[in-house]
PDB file of all heavy atoms in Angstrom:
ATOM      1  N   PRO R1710     124.078 125.054  35.435  1.00 95.00           N
ATOM      2  CA  PRO R1710     123.831 125.657  34.336  1.00 95.00           C
ATOM      3  C   PRO R1710     122.730 126.769  34.381  1.00 95.00           C
ATOM      4  O   PRO R1710     122.234 127.212  33.318  1.00 95.00           O
ATOM      5  CB  PRO R1710     123.264 124.428  33.478  1.00 95.00           C
ATOM      6  CG  PRO R1710     122.545 123.657  34.482  1.00 95.00           C
ATOM      7  CD  PRO R1710     123.426 123.748  35.692  1.00 95.00           C
ATOM      8  N   TYR R1711     122.382 127.058  35.649  1.00 97.00           N
ATOM      9  CA  TYR R1711     121.268 128.000  35.850  1.00 97.00           C
ATOM     10  C   TYR R1711     121.610 129.410  35.565  1.00 97.00           C
ATOM     11  O   TYR R1711     120.885 130.260  35.041  1.00 97.00           O
ATOM     12  CB  TYR R1711     120.813 127.850  37.312  1.00 97.00           C
ATOM     13  CG  TYR R1711     120.593 126.501  37.667  1.00 97.00           C
ATOM     14  CD1 TYR R1711     121.410 125.744  38.605  1.00 97.00           C
ATOM     15  CD2 TYR R1711     119.456 125.751  37.114  1.00 97.00           C
ATOM     16  CE1 TYR R1711     121.115 124.464  38.846  1.00 97.00           C
ATOM     17  CE2 TYR R1711     119.185 124.428  37.571  1.00 97.00           C
ATOM     18  CZ  TYR R1711     120.026 123.784  38.364  1.00 97.00           C
ATOM     19  OH  TYR R1711     119.804 122.446  38.650  1.00 97.00           O
ATOM     20  N   MET R1712     122.896 129.723  35.790  1.00 96.00           N
ATOM     21  CA  MET R1712     123.414 131.188  35.576  1.00 96.00           C
ATOM     22  C   MET R1712     124.947 131.112  35.289  1.00 96.00           C
ATOM     23  O   MET R1712     125.569 130.374  35.915  1.00 96.00           O
ATOM     24  CB  MET R1712     123.225 131.977  36.928  1.00 96.00           C
ATOM     25  CG  MET R1712     123.368 133.517  36.629  1.00 96.00           C
ATOM     26  SD  MET R1712     123.157 134.420  38.222  1.00 96.00           S
ATOM     27  CE  MET R1712     121.346 134.314  38.363  1.00 96.00           C
ATOM     28  N   ARG R1713     125.264 131.896  34.163  1.00 95.00           N
ATOM     29  CA  ARG R1713     126.709 131.725  33.789  1.00 95.00           C
ATOM     30  C   ARG R1713     127.247 133.266  33.713  1.00 95.00           C
ATOM     31  O   ARG R1713     126.637 134.080  33.282  1.00 95.00           O
ATOM     32  CB  ARG R1713     126.731 131.169  32.367  1.00 95.00           C
ATOM     33  CG  ARG R1713     126.156 129.736  32.306  1.00 95.00           C
ATOM     34  CD  ARG R1713     126.170 129.168  30.944  1.00 95.00           C
ATOM     35  NE  ARG R1713     125.523 127.815  30.830  1.00 95.00           N
ATOM     36  CZ  ARG R1713     126.163 126.724  30.938  1.00 95.00           C
ATOM     37  NH1 ARG R1713     127.483 126.656  31.173  1.00 95.00           N
ATOM     38  NH2 ARG R1713     125.485 125.555  30.888  1.00 95.00           N
ATOM     39  N   TYR R1714     128.602 133.204  34.018  1.00 93.00           N
ATOM     40  CA  TYR R1714     129.279 134.495  33.845  1.00 93.00           C
ATOM     41  C   TYR R1714     129.525 134.742  32.429  1.00 93.00           C
ATOM     42  O   TYR R1714     129.915 133.913  31.614  1.00 93.00           O
ATOM     43  CB  TYR R1714     130.724 134.343  34.567  1.00 93.00           C
ATOM     44  CG  TYR R1714     131.673 135.447  34.328  1.00 93.00           C
ATOM     45  CD1 TYR R1714     131.425 136.671  34.933  1.00 93.00           C
ATOM     46  CD2 TYR R1714     132.789 135.136  33.548  1.00 93.00           C
ATOM     47  CE1 TYR R1714     132.374 137.648  34.735  1.00 93.00           C
ATOM     48  CE2 TYR R1714     133.611 136.081  33.376  1.00 93.00           C
ATOM     49  CZ  TYR R1714     133.442 137.480  33.805  1.00 93.00           C
ATOM     50  OH  TYR R1714     134.424 138.401  33.562  1.00 93.00           O
ATOM     51  N   LYS R1715     129.372 136.126  31.946  1.00 93.00           N
ATOM     52  CA  LYS R1715     129.416 136.391  30.680  1.00 93.00           C
ATOM     53  C   LYS R1715     130.529 137.524  30.413  1.00 93.00           C
ATOM     54  O   LYS R1715     130.636 137.951  29.218  1.00 93.00           O
ATOM     55  CB  LYS R1715     128.118 136.873  30.106  1.00 93.00           C
ATOM     56  CG  LYS R1715     127.087 135.817  29.956  1.00 93.00           C
ATOM     57  CD  LYS R1715     127.620 134.731  28.841  1.00 93.00           C
ATOM     58  CE  LYS R1715     126.643 133.640  28.701  1.00 93.00           C
ATOM     59  NZ  LYS R1715     127.086 132.697  27.630  1.00 93.00           N
ATOM     60  N   GLY R1716     131.070 138.124  31.421  1.00 90.00           N
ATOM     61  CA  GLY R1716     132.098 139.178  31.228  1.00 90.00           C
ATOM     62  C   GLY R1716     131.954 140.371  32.094  1.00 90.00           C
ATOM     63  O   GLY R1716     131.072 140.270  33.142  1.00 90.00           O
ATOM     64  N   LEU R1717     132.638 141.457  31.816  1.00 85.00           N
ATOM     65  CA  LEU R1717     132.615 142.660  32.707  1.00 85.00           C
ATOM     66  C   LEU R1717     131.971 143.785  32.101  1.00 85.00           C
ATOM     67  O   LEU R1717     132.140 143.963  30.812  1.00 85.00           O
ATOM     68  CB  LEU R1717     134.030 142.973  32.999  1.00 85.00           C
ATOM     69  CG  LEU R1717     134.808 142.033  33.982  1.00 85.00           C
ATOM     70  CD1 LEU R1717     136.275 142.420  34.089  1.00 85.00           C
ATOM     71  CD2 LEU R1717     134.208 141.905  35.377  1.00 85.00           C
ATOM     72  N   THR R1718     131.213 144.669  32.777  1.00 83.00           N
ATOM     73  CA  THR R1718     130.692 145.855  32.321  1.00 83.00           C
ATOM     74  C   THR R1718     131.709 146.814  32.048  1.00 83.00           C
ATOM     75  O   THR R1718     132.897 146.711  32.573  1.00 83.00           O
ATOM     76  CB  THR R1718     129.650 146.437  33.324  1.00 83.00           C
ATOM     77  OG1 THR R1718     130.359 146.802  34.520  1.00 83.00           O
ATOM     78  CG2 THR R1718     128.471 145.450  33.618  1.00 83.00           C
ATOM     79  N   MET R1719     131.378 147.903  31.272  1.00 74.00           N
ATOM     80  CA  MET R1719     132.239 149.055  31.081  1.00 74.00           C
ATOM     81  C   MET R1719     132.088 149.951  32.390  1.00 74.00           C
ATOM     82  O   MET R1719     131.054 149.759  33.105  1.00 74.00           O
ATOM     83  CB  MET R1719     131.857 149.826  29.826  1.00 74.00           C
ATOM     84  CG  MET R1719     132.019 149.013  28.567  1.00 74.00           C
ATOM     85  SD  MET R1719     133.712 148.396  28.265  1.00 74.00           S
ATOM     86  CE  MET R1719     134.465 149.923  27.796  1.00 74.00           C
ATOM     87  N   SER R1720     133.062 150.708  32.550  1.00 65.00           N
ATOM     88  CA  SER R1720     132.982 151.586  33.887  1.00 65.00           C
ATOM     89  C   SER R1720     133.433 152.900  33.522  1.00 65.00           C
ATOM     90  O   SER R1720     134.557 153.334  33.729  1.00 65.00           O
ATOM     91  CB  SER R1720     133.814 150.895  34.957  1.00 65.00           C
ATOM     92  OG  SER R1720     133.886 151.772  36.083  1.00 65.00           O
ATOM     93  N   ASP R1721     132.490 153.830  33.075  1.00 68.00           N
ATOM     94  CA  ASP R1721     132.857 155.121  32.639  1.00 68.00           C
ATOM     95  C   ASP R1721     131.729 156.167  33.145  1.00 68.00           C
ATOM     96  O   ASP R1721     131.329 157.016  32.404  1.00 68.00           O
ATOM     97  CB  ASP R1721     133.035 155.243  31.107  1.00 68.00           C
ATOM     98  CG  ASP R1721     133.594 156.617  30.735  1.00 68.00           C
ATOM     99  OD1 ASP R1721     134.590 157.118  31.502  1.00 68.00           O
ATOM    100  OD2 ASP R1721     133.328 157.135  29.661  1.00 68.00           O
ATOM    101  N   PHE R1722     131.447 156.080  34.391  1.00 76.00           N
ATOM    102  CA  PHE R1722     130.367 157.042  35.000  1.00 76.00           C
ATOM    103  C   PHE R1722     130.678 157.186  36.454  1.00 76.00           C
ATOM    104  O   PHE R1722     131.252 156.297  37.082  1.00 76.00           O
ATOM    105  CB  PHE R1722     128.978 156.510  34.707  1.00 76.00           C
ATOM    106  CG  PHE R1722     128.616 155.262  35.385  1.00 76.00           C
ATOM    107  CD1 PHE R1722     128.114 155.091  36.643  1.00 76.00           C
ATOM    108  CD2 PHE R1722     128.779 154.064  34.630  1.00 76.00           C
ATOM    109  CE1 PHE R1722     127.801 153.915  37.226  1.00 76.00           C
ATOM    110  CE2 PHE R1722     128.406 152.860  35.219  1.00 76.00           C
ATOM    111  CZ  PHE R1722     127.927 152.736  36.468  1.00 76.00           C
ATOM    112  N   THR R1723     130.259 158.248  36.952  1.00 85.00           N
ATOM    113  CA  THR R1723     130.516 158.554  38.272  1.00 85.00           C
ATOM    114  C   THR R1723     129.382 157.959  39.208  1.00 85.00           C
ATOM    115  O   THR R1723     128.284 157.788  38.777  1.00 85.00           O
ATOM    116  CB  THR R1723     130.395 160.160  38.639  1.00 85.00           C
ATOM    117  OG1 THR R1723     129.251 160.593  38.142  1.00 85.00           O
ATOM    118  CG2 THR R1723     131.530 160.851  37.919  1.00 85.00           C
ATOM    119  N   PRO R1724     129.772 157.420  40.410  1.00 86.00           N
ATOM    120  CA  PRO R1724     128.743 157.020  41.363  1.00 86.00           C
ATOM    121  C   PRO R1724     127.679 157.992  41.588  1.00 86.00           C
ATOM    122  O   PRO R1724     128.032 159.267  41.472  1.00 86.00           O
ATOM    123  CB  PRO R1724     129.547 156.646  42.750  1.00 86.00           C
ATOM    124  CG  PRO R1724     130.858 156.492  42.188  1.00 86.00           C
ATOM    125  CD  PRO R1724     131.158 157.320  40.995  1.00 86.00           C
ATOM    126  N   LEU R1725     126.489 157.680  41.833  1.00 86.00           N
ATOM    127  CA  LEU R1725     125.429 158.648  42.051  1.00 86.00           C
ATOM    128  C   LEU R1725     125.621 159.370  43.386  1.00 86.00           C
ATOM    129  O   LEU R1725     125.904 158.852  44.398  1.00 86.00           O
ATOM    130  CB  LEU R1725     124.043 157.984  42.061  1.00 86.00           C
ATOM    131  CG  LEU R1725     123.623 157.264  40.701  1.00 86.00           C
ATOM    132  CD1 LEU R1725     122.283 156.590  40.816  1.00 86.00           C
ATOM    133  CD2 LEU R1725     123.597 158.430  39.560  1.00 86.00           C
ATOM    134  N   LEU R1726     125.254 160.627  43.336  1.00 89.00           N
ATOM    135  CA  LEU R1726     125.173 161.416  44.555  1.00 89.00           C
ATOM    136  C   LEU R1726     123.996 160.877  45.445  1.00 89.00           C
ATOM    137  O   LEU R1726     123.027 160.456  44.837  1.00 89.00           O
ATOM    138  CB  LEU R1726     124.915 162.906  44.293  1.00 89.00           C
ATOM    139  CG  LEU R1726     125.798 163.582  43.362  1.00 89.00           C
ATOM    140  CD1 LEU R1726     125.241 165.053  42.942  1.00 89.00           C
ATOM    141  CD2 LEU R1726     127.188 163.827  44.104  1.00 89.00           C
TER     142      LEU R1726
END
Side-chain angles (χ1 to χ4, degrees):
Y1711 311 107
M1712 189 179 289
R1713 299 177 186 272
Y1714 169 73
K1715 290 295 181 180
L1717 295 170
T1718 62
M1719 302 299 287
S1720 176
D1721 191 35
F1722 59 89
T1723 57
L1725 294 175
L1726 303 169

